[in-house]
Amino acid sequence: MFSRILIANRGEIAVRIIKTARRLGIKTVAVYSQADRGALHVALADEAVFLGAAPATESYLDIGKVVAAALASGAEAIHPGYGFLSENPDFVDAVGKAGLTFIGPAAASIRTMGLKDAAKRLMEEAGVPVVPGYHGDNQDAAFLKLEAGKIGYPVLIKASAGGGGKGMRRVDTDDDFDAALQSCRREAKSAFGDDRVLIEKYISSPRHIEVQVFGDGRGNVVHLFERDCSLQRRHQKVIEEAPAPGMTDAVRTAMTEAAVAAARAVAYKGAGTVEFIADGTGPLRPDGFWFMEMNTRLQVEHPVTEMVTGFDLVEWQLRVAAGEPLPVRQDEIRLLGHAAEARLYAEDPANGFLPQAGRIDHLEFGSGEGIRVDAGVRAGDQVSPYYDPMIAKVIGHGKSRDEAIDRLKNALDGTHITGLTSNRDFLRALCRDEIFRQGRMDTGLIDRGMDGLIARPDAPEEAILIAALAASGLDLSGPHCGFRLWGEASHRVTLHAGEEVIERRIVPGGGRVRLLDGGEEVLLEEIVFDGRTFSARLVRANGSDRVLARLVVDVHGGEQRISVLLDGETYAFERLDPLEGEDAAHHHSGEILAPMTGIVRLVDVGAGVAVKAGDRLVVMEAMKMEYTLRSPRDGFVDAVFCTEGGQAEGGAVLVRITEERLDG
Ligand code: ADP
Ligand code: ADP
Ligand code: MG
């Protein structure tokens, strides 16, 4: 076994690998960019080497720098994690040339599987079912359109070199083909440096089911059952589970045999995943699934497999890379219950899933039996606009599917993130979705149910009262809550919750607080507040009372923003300056900001033009994804601060919209 390894990655996966290495007595070397000087993975590793500036091309993607760091630190092997260089065969070659071991498959396996078209041709030869389509070399636009027509709409255009759900366009009619091909090529070119595409039949009601495989590179390949990753948005996984709902012995046998055959066809070594698309219009069938691609690395969602098999896949990766045989035989791998994982991201689902960069002020995860959290950040850390904005993966494991999803939901209920917008509430809504709970989902479930999934309940009075109290700036921390100091002085607090303006009057005194709102007067007694967790007895005018327990209050952003966690739901408020009053509530900034550092691809408007709410203003590309920024309201473009092809820093103003035309 190795005594020291370098981890060529960051965030959650780097932390994950460090944990297993430490357990096995292996020393770890982290690498980091300028943006990650204070990052968790750097703090946890035994040693850390600085790579370069924040952009990944100058740090985590720089093969020369990563290999040099490994040599300088005396590491014997490099674990690539996922993303970044993990599926780059040139990196594998460079690692080998430096006399180091790559913890993963051979460069040749990655090369073969890295191009979706070549992989599909090989799979056809190996007898693995493949989605009907064109995966040839002719890239002429008119020819491809003809092929699309032959396959029959709807079709999917995919970047041959694609990955991570990027570079993929569904096309429903002949008329839409040219525009889709163009945009797919643009994305593929900039993301993968390769604009070749393939066309395949779009499978309706598709389910994404994949098989975890493991090879020792000497001809032994085992599988560790399947995962269902059908809950996706824009072809990116959101919630994954194992086993797949509705899986039968016959389908599992057919699918795992196809997966093992695929791995054998490339003499596979290490952890890999063979992805299939399955016909979800009815029950799963042994002849109703097709090969999509093989991911030649550890997958983001590997924890669900670890939870249902009890094995540590990172440990297996290290052992196999060190030349040991697979630790178990196929018949020793058993399925233990059910597990489901949710990807917690700094992103705004209600706003096209725009990534959110910024500081995480507070971070707390729900805990309990059967819950695992793999996090890459701590409270106080910055989510950088330079990398994937994942905060953590939350996993629930239980005896049954219901128990696993309930535990996942409980863990999310107890998760509180403040400082930036996350997809936590969206994930909770998904956990409650009826179709998902019945296991009848397909990859379109999220898109179809988007309105319901992003709907936010109105804040209950209890949450408003606590927010008003927190916003009042009154000292609630002492045993007497400092109220005597204030006597009977009354405080008016104006809060803003979404569009709504809420006013409360607070009268502290005698160890309790009176709150007055539009008519009703309530009392809060027995207040205990430790700075974050708040509890009190709430007495209503009619004499009824209720104990409010475990309310978590976070005041941040210079005491302007307050977040209350009550019964699993978070409610966000903003304090309004009483002098600004109502006006402030109606003031929407007309400034369109860059969500992340990235490239401006298109600018649709010029100064002076009229726009309607929802009109496309700018298309940005960041983290290999295109983001469309739209006008928040009707108005006029006052100024444009970006140009096509230019770089924009996260948070920079791109366009300013005003209500009235400003003549200049
Ligand atoms: P999976 O099939 O396991 O979901 P993806 O193909 O989506 O994996 O990519 C793996 C993961 O790698 C992504 O979810 C993302 O977190 C990470 N990743 C991909 N590209 C990058 C990148 N350029 N920088 C940082 N992380 C990346
Ligand atoms: P990536 O390399 O980006 O992960 P995949 O080829 O694995 O690309 O496809 C990603 C997702 O796109 C799948 O999980 C599925 O939701 C959808 N998809 C891919 N191929 C098809 C298809 N032929 N029909 C319908 N959906 C598909
Ligand atoms: Mg895939």
Side-chain angles (χ1 to χ4, degrees):
M1 184 48 75
F2 312 111
S3 58
R4 183 183 295 262
I5 61 168
L6 178 133
I7 300 160
N9 216 299
R10 62 183 300 283
E12 162 273 318
I13 188 60
V15 171
R16 159 76 191 86
I17 295 163
I18 290 170
K19 283 190 183 146
T20 292
R22 176 149 303 156
R23 186 169 58 73
L24 298 177
I26 301 169
K27 291 262 186 278
T28 53
V29 182
V31 290
Y32 63 97
S33 72
Q34 185 64 37
D36 278 337
R37 283 193 174 279
L40 181 60
H41 75 282
V42 175
L44 292 179
D46 294 301
E47 202 181 312
V49 180
F50 176 70
L51 290 179
T57 45
E58 288 170 55
S59 48
Y60 300 105
L61 287 174
D62 187 322
I63 294 178
K65 283 182 183 168
V66 172
V67 172
L71 290 172
S73 60
E76 304 138 56
I78 300 184
H79 195 307
Y82 50 69
F84 294 129
L85 296 169
S86 62
E87 290 179 286
N88 183 328
D90 297 337
F91 178 57
V92 181
D93 284 337
V95 172
K97 276 207 194 85
L100 304 170
T101 303
F102 179 74
I103 301 170
S109 309
I110 300 181
R111 264 194 195 101
T112 311
M113 288 299 186
L115 288 174
K116 290 179 198 277
D117 48 358
K120 281 184 170 133
R121 291 199 291 262
L122 179 71
M123 288 304 107
E124 274 172 331
E125 285 165 28
V128 175
V130 175
V131 190
Y134 176 76
H135 356 98
D137 290 328
N138 192 339
Q139 292 293 308
D140 177 63
F143 173 82
L144 291 173
K145 191 169 173 173
L146 221 59
E147 286 297 320
K150 275 196 234 161
I151 296 163
Y153 290 96
V155 300
L156 203 60
I157 308 178
K158 278 188 190 178
S160 301
K166 291 134 200 160
M168 216 179 291
R169 296 288 183 283
R170 175 187 160 152
V171 193
D172 291 308
T173 68
D174 217 48
D175 291 341
D176 302 333
F177 189 87
D178 295 326
L181 178 64
Q182 223 180 0
S183 125
C184 183
R185 280 197 168 143
R186 188 171 59 233
E187 196 172 308
K189 181 76 193 164
S190 78
F192 315 109
D194 181 342
D195 68 358
R196 282 175 300 154
V197 299
L198 60 91
I199 318 276
E200 62 185 38
K201 178 83 192 149
Y202 184 85
I203 307 294
S204 47
S205 298
R207 282 177 66 181
H208 174 120
I209 304 180
E210 58 186 33
V211 177
Q212 175 73 55
V213 293
F214 230 101
D216 65 0
R218 312 166 186 179
N220 298 314
V221 178
V222 296
H223 72 81
L224 293 97
F225 303 102
E226 78 282 355
R227 295 183 287 255
D228 191 317
C229 313
S230 300
L231 287 189
Q232 305 183 341
R233 53 107 181 154
R234 290 192 196 155
H235 306 302
Q236 293 197 66
K237 299 160 187 171
V238 177
I239 289 185
E240 305 103 339
E241 61 178 302
M247 183 54 81
T248 63
D249 286 344
V251 177
R252 181 173 286 141
T253 302
M255 201 179 263
T256 53
E257 275 176 4
V260 168
R264 280 194 209 286
V266 289
Y268 202 72
K269 179 175 182 180
T273 294
V274 182
E275 297 189 329
F276 297 100
I277 188 112
D279 177 358
T281 51
L284 295 171
R285 304 185 318 271
D287 64 347
F289 65 86
W290 302 272
F291 172 87
M292 265 192 308
E293 66 163 344
M294 179 167 183
N295 292 327
T296 50
R297 54 169 157 81
L298 191 68
Q299 203 98 333
V300 173
E301 57 274 22
H302 75 277
V304 295
T305 299
E306 296 188 324
M307 303 282 277
V308 295
T309 58
F311 297 118
D312 178 336
L313 296 188
V314 173
E315 176 180 345
W316 284 29
Q317 287 188 297
L318 293 168
R319 293 200 182 285
V320 166
E324 293 179 27
L326 288 172
V328 299
R329 291 188 318 266
Q330 184 69 64
D331 61 7
E332 294 169 300
I333 304 172
R334 299 219 177 76
L335 205 49
L336 314 161
H338 204 102
E341 168 188 282
R343 299 187 185 196
L344 193 61
Y345 269 92
E347 66 181 14
D348 185 0
N351 192 6
F353 293 99
L354 275 190
Q356 308 285 303
R359 182 174 185 271
I360 301 178
D361 290 332
H362 175 72
L363 181 63
E364 176 185 337
F365 298 104
S367 57
E369 199 186 340
I371 291 173
R372 163 173 166 181
V373 177
D374 283 17
V377 290
R378 302 153 293 192
D381 285 351
Q382 295 281 338
V383 173
S384 149
Y386 291 100
Y387 318 110
D388 188 84
M390 187 193 275
I391 296 169
K393 305 185 299 204
V394 180
I395 307 107
H397 179 229
K399 287 188 286 295
S400 64
R401 181 169 190 266
D402 271 336
E403 190 173 58
I405 299 173
D406 284 343
R407 285 179 172 171
L408 170 60
K409 166 129 185 332
N410 289 342
L412 291 168
D413 283 352
T415 295
H416 199 198
I417 303 167
T418 66
L420 42 69
T421 304
S422 81
N423 64 346
R424 186 199 82 119
D425 294 319
F426 173 77
L427 295 172
R428 292 175 59 244
L430 264 178
C431 286
R432 285 191 304 253
D433 183 273
E434 243 178 72
I435 309 266
F436 170 54
R437 293 306 300 234
Q438 293 165 8
R440 295 193 294 115
M441 65 284 188
D442 64 49
T443 62
L445 180 140
I446 289 180
D447 276 347
R448 287 191 299 269
M450 208 47 208
D451 289 349
L453 292 168
I454 56 176
R456 305 283 306 114
D458 286 338
E461 189 56 27
E462 289 89 329
I464 295 175
L465 294 179
I466 305 313
L469 208 52
S472 70
L474 292 172
D475 178 12
L476 302 173
S477 51
H480 307 294
C481 306
F483 293 137
R484 281 166 307 169
L485 295 174
W486 295 87
E488 283 286 309
S490 130
H491 300 253
R492 206 181 78 153
V493 179
T494 309
L495 296 172
H496 183 182
E499 299 284 294
E500 210 186 331
V501 178
I502 302 165
E503 258 192 47
R504 294 292 180 270
R505 211 148 60 78
I506 300 177
V507 187
R512 56 190 201 177
V513 211
R514 269 193 296 146
L515 289 111
L516 297 105
D517 62 287
E520 205 193 355
E521 175 178 328
V522 298
L523 277 178
L524 284 180
E525 301 180 336
E526 301 164 28
I527 297 175
V528 180
F529 184 61
D530 65 5
R532 277 195 24 81
T533 312
F534 181 98
S535 67
R537 176 181 302 280
L538 175 91
V539 186
R540 296 203 174 271
N542 66 10
S544 70
D545 68 345
R546 177 188 168 194
V547 175
L548 301 177
R550 254 197 69 75
L551 270 132
V552 183
V553 188
D554 258 286
V555 184
H556 50 98
E559 307 212 341
Q560 294 304 302
R561 286 180 292 157
I562 298 133
S563 153
V564 176
L565 177 66
L566 171 62
D567 298 332
E569 207 70 56
T570 18
Y571 303 97
F573 301 91
E574 258 174 81
R575 192 175 78 96
L576 293 190
D577 189 328
L579 297 177
E580 284 178 43
E582 290 263 327
D583 278 354
H586 298 297
H587 167 77
H588 282 287
S589 159
E591 293 184 337
I592 314 302
L593 308 181
M596 301 181 88
T597 299
I599 310 286
V600 176
R601 287 289 165 212
L602 286 175
V603 180
D604 284 318
V605 292
V609 307
V611 288
K612 292 239 165 293
D615 279 0
R616 187 171 84 171
L617 303 174
V618 172
V619 176
M620 265 195 79
E621 191 192 297
M623 286 305 304
K624 301 182 178 181
M625 287 283 282
E626 283 194 350
Y627 293 100
T628 300
L629 302 169
R630 297 180 183 281
S631 180
R633 60 166 187 228
D634 295 354
F636 296 90
V637 175
D638 176 37
V640 176
F641 302 99
C642 57
T643 48
E644 282 181 15
Q647 167 101 7
E649 286 288 316
V653 181
L654 300 175
V655 177
R656 193 167 60 220
I657 307 286
T658 52
E659 240 154 283
E660 273 136 52
R661 191 190 295 270
L662 302 177
D663 291 313

